[in-house]
């Protein structure tokens, strides 16, 4: 984990190194999760086992910021895809994080009735 930047929570790989998992919809549905399920996966793994995708440019930063919180299980990826992602990082990781969590509460009309 990077101690230099207090806003960085996970080790990271550049966007180009994680390109082999994009789009995540092309992967098996058992390998990735979004929103609440993704948050549960993150809570079940120690921080040292989580790898994030870092933007390389303004365009990739915008793309990642627009993506909902998405987590990919590196352990369940095909070997060639996993190798291309993990080669860029040093360590043993089990989850790859893309996008960002939204902390906005979604109120439904029924709550107000």
């Amino acid at each position: 984990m990077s101690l230099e930047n207090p806003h960085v929570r996970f080790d990271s790989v550049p966007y180009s190194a994680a390109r082999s998992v994009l789009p995540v919809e092309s992967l098996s549905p058992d390998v990735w999760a979004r929103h609440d399920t993704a948050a549960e996966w993150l809570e079940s793994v120690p921080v040292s086992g989580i790898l994030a995708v870092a933007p390389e440019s303004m365009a990739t930063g915008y793309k990642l910021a627009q993506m909902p919180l998405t987590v990919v299980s590196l352990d369940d990826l095909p070997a060639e895809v996993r190798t291309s992602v993990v080669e860029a990082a040093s360590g043993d990781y089990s989850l790859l994080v893309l996008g960002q969590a939204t902390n906005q509460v979604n109120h439904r009309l029924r709550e107000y009735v």
Side-chain angles (χ1 to χ4, degrees):
M1 185 163 49
S2 174
L3 299 176
E4 298 168 5
N5 185 342
H7 302 290
V8 176
R9 294 176 40 201
F10 310 117
D11 290 340
S12 61
V13 293
Y15 181 83
S16 60
R19 192 167 291 196
S20 61
V21 299
L22 297 172
V24 292
E25 292 84 6
S26 66
L27 301 171
S28 169
D30 299 332
V31 173
W32 61 277
R34 282 207 170 124
H35 306 294
D36 293 339
T37 307
E40 289 174 9
W41 285 16
L42 288 175
E43 290 174 5
S44 69
V45 173
V47 174
S48 61
I50 301 172
L51 188 62
V53 176
E56 295 177 309
S57 66
M58 188 175 195
T60 57
Y62 182 78
K63 183 173 184 170
L64 288 170
Q66 298 303 312
M67 184 181 289
L69 177 64
T70 305
V71 175
V72 177
S73 172
L74 293 172
D75 298 333
D76 298 329
L77 283 176
E80 63 276 356
V81 176
R82 176 179 164 67
T83 303
S84 69
V85 173
V86 178
E87 272 182 357
S90 58
D92 188 29
Y93 301 99
S94 56
L95 294 178
L96 178 69
V97 180
L98 301 134
Q100 66 179 0
T102 57
N103 294 330
Q104 298 174 335
V105 178
N106 184 10
H107 293 285
R108 297 195 173 126
L109 289 175
R110 289 185 183 177
E111 295 178 28
Y112 300 105
V113 178

